[in-house]
Structures are given as C-alpha cells and as structure tokens.
Amino acid sequence: MVKKITLPNGARLVCEHIPHVRSVSFGLWLGVGSRYESALENGASHMIEHLLFKGTKTRSAAQIAEEMDQLGGQMNAFTTKECTCFYGRVLDTNLRQAVDLLADMLLCSRFDDKDITAERSVIGEEIDMYFDAPDDLVSDQLVEAVFADSGLGRPILGTKETLAGLDRGRLQAFQAAHYTPERLVIALSGHFQDADLAYIQEIFAHMSPGAPTTPEPGVYQPACTITEKPIEQNHLCLMFPGLSMHSEARYAGQIFSSILGGGISSRLFQTVREEHGLCYSVYTFGMSFREQGLLGLYTALGAETEGQALGLIMEILQDIHQNGVTPGELERAREQAKSNILMSLESTSARMNSLGKNELLRGYVPTPEEIICSYDTVTAADVLAVARQVIDFERLSFSAVGQVADEGQYRRWLER
C-alpha cells in the first residue's frame, strides 16, 4: 500500500513498505531538467547533478565516494528533460545514513570553481562520447530539431558553448530557483520503520519554499537532419508526434507501439529483419512529456539496402494506419505489457522509480491493479484510433547518420 505524506513546505514523501525484504530503494526526485533552462542556462541541471557529488561543507568528494561504498549498496543520479533524480538501494539498517548523505549533497554542496572547471571538461567528454554513438545521435538530433524553438529541444548535456558560460554564480542561482521543496518527491520502497520516515521528514522540513514555475510548452515541427559519419552502417530514425504522459489513450498507445516495433513478434521486426534480412536491429520507442510525446522508429543497416527498408517501413505504417491490428497481436501485446508490470513488482528499485516518477510528473501513483485494468480495457478500435492519430504522414520527421544519401533521396524513399 502506497503512503503519501506532504510536508508543510510542500515536499512530498511517497513510500511503500515491503516487509519480506531487507533492502530499501530510495530516490530524491526533483522537477527540474533541461526543458526548464533558458538558452544560456542549457546544461545547468545536468552539471549540478555532477557537482553534488564533488563535496559539501562537511564532506569532500573522496569522503562522499568512500561513504557510498561503505554503505554497501548502489547510489547514483540522472537528469532528463523534465526531472533530476538522486537514488540508491541499501540495507534497511543503512537507510538513514544514506538519506543523510544525499540530503547533505542536495542542500550543502560547495560548488568550488576548480570542480566546476573539472566537470565542464568531463561533460565535454560525455558530449563527444554521445556524438560518437550514432544510435543515440540519430534520435537526439531529431528531438532537438522537432522541438527547435522550445525548451524540449535543448540537449540535456548542454553544449560546450553553453557549459563555458555556467560559472559558480549562475549555477547556484539556478539551483536556488529550482531545487525547492514543492518540486521535491522523496520515494521509498522496501523495508523501513516509521521512525525512518520521521527522520526523513525532519531533514527535508528545513527546505525553504520557492516559487513554482511552469516550463514553456513544446511545439513540434516536422524536421529532417542528415549527418555524415565514416561508419559502416547508416542509422535511421523516423518520428511522429506522440501521446503525452497524461493522455487517456496512453495504454492503447503503448500496446500500439509494441505491436508495431516492440519485440521479436512485432511487424517491423518480422518484416524488415526476419522476412527480408535487411537489418539486425529495428524497433519503436516512445517519449512522453507533460503535454505531448513522440513516437520514434529506429533501424541501422547498410547504405545499399536503406531504400528498400524505408519502403517496407512505410508500407507497414500505412497498413496499420488503415487497417489497425489483429486480435492475436492485441492479446500478445497486452499480455506482454501486463507481464512487465507484474514482474517489475519484484524489484524495489522499479517500484521506487514508479512511485517517484508518477508522483512528480503526474501527481498520482496508480496501483498495479489499476494499470492492469487499463491494459485489459484496451480494444482493437482504441489501438486503431491511436494509430490514426499518431501516424500523421504530413508531420513525419526523419534523421540519418552515417554514409548517408542526400535529403532529397530520403524524401523520395519516404514518399514512395
């Protein structure tokens, strides 16, 4: 059973007690990411995530690392376009020490100039690493292009140019404005005591309230990006506007994506790979934001077969847009989704992630029974409605990375 406690300053604690385990997963979820940044601040959320591990008023970076290892669990962090999360998993006896450590990092970090300089270099290497990963680059550059005029288009890592302008004063001002209690969700799943909850509440009750802000809405615009790289395969990405995380059709949308390209029985995998042998990897992926989302299709293959593959992909899209899905496809995708949900309940980390993300971004944590029921009520007509809403060929976007053709050639293949 999920328990929710709202502190007087607006911070929320959501927890789920699991008595038969000895570990506890926890996360500090903050409603800030790259879409909350201005153009000059781009990369601030991610850089702050790094800097919180670099030392506080009472702990050095080495002491933080040693204490994390001594706790015997795992602790880390990540930044997305809409949230930043500091998380870990430890034995129940170490929960208070772990939370105390993360709270110290969150509330009392030093932001030394030498650490900022060092992390600017580290993140620059991270940017280069992603540029050298064409499977990431092909989708990332397309997301930036389709949301070019809004915060959703800003890269999570920032750019080397924007990182150069992020000094101590700007970073501290950004943290003060966005690391506020009404943006904070503390999520717990596993074994803990009521006294642990009281201890956590006491720590975060001292945070001073801030002024809530709403990010500018993302405005999708069709785009095409072509990037030449001397690599063996061409990496291709097709993208359409998708469903938001609040859409009532999101469960039908997940089933639709699964049937189209979510597994080895999907239409894309069976046709492009199994029947025609044109690629090793082909799949769909989704991104859901507050007010809208994206549906992407990815594949990688040789330049000599990409035209044939794109033709097959467009035929599959046209068929599912016109005719929908079969009862067998619907049942397989539904059972796969339900199985994933039920099996995830065996992981305290997965349960904690669900608690934190849902409370932070949706303001509500659905029960597993509610989720299963939502999948059970999806009909073939619901999936067809999603297919016709999402697959809008007038709003198709495309990206290619590798020894690529020109944009005109890709447009001809896609229009054919």
Side-chain angles (χ1 to χ4, degrees), residues 293-371:
L294 296 170
L295 175 70
L297 292 75
Y298 165 86
T299 190
L301 67 180
E304 66 280 0
T305 58
E306 59 182 351
Q308 182 184 358
L310 287 174
L312 289 170
I313 290 171
M314 293 302 287
E315 288 177 8
I316 293 168
L317 290 171
Q318 289 164 353
D319 179 69
I320 203 169
H321 178 274
Q322 180 176 350
N323 302 313
V325 301
T326 68
E329 288 176 320
L330 174 59
E331 190 61 25
R332 283 196 301 273
R334 190 203 316 276
E335 290 307 308
Q336 183 183 46
K338 290 162 58 177
S339 296
N340 290 339
I341 292 295
L342 295 174
M343 286 190 289
S344 73
L345 297 178
E346 299 178 6
S347 164
T348 59
S349 296
R351 294 171 84 125
M352 183 279 293
N353 285 331
S354 176
L355 293 176
K357 186 174 182 179
N358 276 293
E359 179 60 36
L360 179 67
L361 299 178
R362 293 192 175 100
Y364 171 71
V365 181
T367 66
E369 293 76 18
E370 290 174 320
I371 296 173

Side-chain angles (χ1 to χ4, degrees), residues 341-412:
I341 292 295
L342 295 174
M343 286 190 289
S344 73
L345 297 178
E346 299 178 6
S347 164
T348 59
S349 296
R351 294 171 84 125
M352 183 279 293
N353 285 331
S354 176
L355 293 176
K357 186 174 182 179
N358 276 293
E359 179 60 36
L360 179 67
L361 299 178
R362 293 192 175 100
Y364 171 71
V365 181
T367 66
E369 293 76 18
E370 290 174 320
I371 296 173
I372 295 300
C373 181
S374 296
Y375 282 120
D376 279 337
T377 58
V378 172
T379 67
D382 295 330
V383 178
L384 177 59
V386 168
R388 290 181 173 173
Q389 175 185 344
V390 171
I391 302 176
D392 182 349
F393 294 105
E394 296 298 320
R395 307 188 75 190
L396 170 63
S397 295
F398 177 78
S399 179
V401 172
Q403 300 188 49
V404 293
D406 60 77
E407 181 178 336
Q409 178 61 71
Y410 285 115
R411 290 191 181 277
R412 287 189 291 274

Side-chain angles (χ1 to χ4, degrees), residues 124-174:
E125 292 296 326
E126 191 176 357
I127 291 172
D128 290 340
M129 179 183 73
Y130 279 107
F131 188 78
D132 285 341
D135 52 337
D136 290 321
L137 178 62
V138 71
S139 58
D140 288 348
Q141 68 180 5
L142 193 52
V143 173
E144 293 176 26
V146 300
F147 290 130
D149 297 325
S150 61
L152 279 176
R154 295 192 182 104
I156 294 169
L157 303 184
T159 67
K160 292 182 180 180
E161 291 72 25
T162 61
L163 293 178
L166 295 177
D167 57 18
R168 182 182 185 186
R170 180 166 283 170
L171 289 166
Q172 286 183 321
F174 185 88

Side-chain angles (χ1 to χ4, degrees), residues 273-289:
R273 172 176 160 154
E274 296 297 279
E275 293 180 20
H276 294 270
L278 298 178
C279 66
Y280 176 78
S281 180
V282 59
Y283 57 83
T284 56
F285 61 93
M287 301 180 188
S288 293
F289 309 112

Side-chain angles (χ1 to χ4, degrees), residues 220 240-244 247 287-288 291-295 389-390:
Y220 177 97
F240 297 93
L243 303 176
S244 78
S247 171
M287 301 180 188
S288 293
E291 73 281 5
Q292 67 173 283
L294 296 170
L295 175 70
Q389 175 185 344
V390 171

Side-chain angles (χ1 to χ4, degrees), residues 51 54 61 110-120:
L51 289 171
K54 291 301 177 181
R110 290 196 305 249
F111 287 78
D112 282 351
D113 289 333
K114 62 180 179 61
D115 293 328
I116 294 171
T117 299
E119 286 311 300
R120 190 180 289 126

Side-chain angles (χ1 to χ4, degrees), residues 68-321:
M68 285 183 174
D69 285 345
Q70 187 172 349
L71 289 171
Q74 309 101 31
M75 298 176 71
N76 212 327
F78 64 83
T79 303
T80 72
K81 290 184 179 292
E82 295 193 309
C83 72
T84 303
C85 178
F86 300 85
Y87 64 94
R89 179 170 176 258
V90 294
L91 291 177
D92 51 4
T93 52
N94 292 330
L95 174 60
R96 295 193 198 183
Q97 185 180 352
V99 172
D100 181 75
L101 174 58
L102 280 187
D104 188 35
M105 293 163 53
L106 191 74
L107 303 175
C108 302
S109 283
R110 290 196 305 249
F111 287 78
D112 282 351
D113 289 333
K114 62 180 179 61
D115 293 328
I116 294 171
T117 299
E119 286 311 300
R120 190 180 289 126
S121 177
V122 168
I123 297 171
E125 292 296 326
E126 191 176 357
I127 291 172
D128 290 340
M129 179 183 73
Y130 279 107
F131 188 78
D132 285 341
D135 52 337
D136 290 321
L137 178 62
V138 71
S139 58
D140 288 348
Q141 68 180 5
L142 193 52
V143 173
E144 293 176 26
V146 300
F147 290 130
D149 297 325
S150 61
L152 279 176
R154 295 192 182 104
I156 294 169
L157 303 184
T159 67
K160 292 182 180 180
E161 291 72 25
T162 61
L163 293 178
L166 295 177
D167 57 18
R168 182 182 185 186
R170 180 166 283 170
L171 289 166
Q172 286 183 321
F174 185 88
Q175 186 192 35
H178 295 90
Y179 276 53
T180 54
E182 64 277 357
R183 293 172 179 260
L184 173 65
V185 171
I186 307 126
L188 292 175
S189 180
H191 193 266
F192 51 84
Q193 306 294 332
D194 288 343
D196 297 324
L197 300 183
Y199 181 82
I200 292 170
Q201 291 177 68
E202 174 62 24
I203 289 178
F204 292 101
H206 300 292
M207 293 180 69
S208 299
T213 60
T214 302
E216 61 184 15
V219 180
Y220 177 97
Q221 52 190 1
C224 181
T225 66
I226 308 294
T227 302
E228 294 189 10
K229 289 184 75 68
I231 52 181
E232 291 299 318
Q233 287 188 309
N234 285 356
H235 296 254
L236 311 179
C237 180
L238 289 75
M239 195 167 284
F240 297 93
L243 303 176
S244 78
M245 64 178 61
H246 297 289
S247 171
E248 294 182 359
R250 63 184 182 275
Y251 294 102
Q254 291 169 16
I255 287 177
F256 162 68
S257 178
S258 179
I259 293 170
L260 179 60
I264 60 174
S265 68
S266 69
R267 293 193 183 187
L268 287 173
F269 192 94
Q270 284 297 312
T271 301
V272 182
R273 172 176 160 154
E274 296 297 279
E275 293 180 20
H276 294 270
L278 298 178
C279 66
Y280 176 78
S281 180
V282 59
Y283 57 83
T284 56
F285 61 93
M287 301 180 188
S288 293
F289 309 112
R290 291 180 184 272
E291 73 281 5
Q292 67 173 283
L294 296 170
L295 175 70
L297 292 75
Y298 165 86
T299 190
L301 67 180
E304 66 280 0
T305 58
E306 59 182 351
Q308 182 184 358
L310 287 174
L312 289 170
I313 290 171
M314 293 302 287
E315 288 177 8
I316 293 168
L317 290 171
Q318 289 164 353
D319 179 69
I320 203 169
H321 178 274

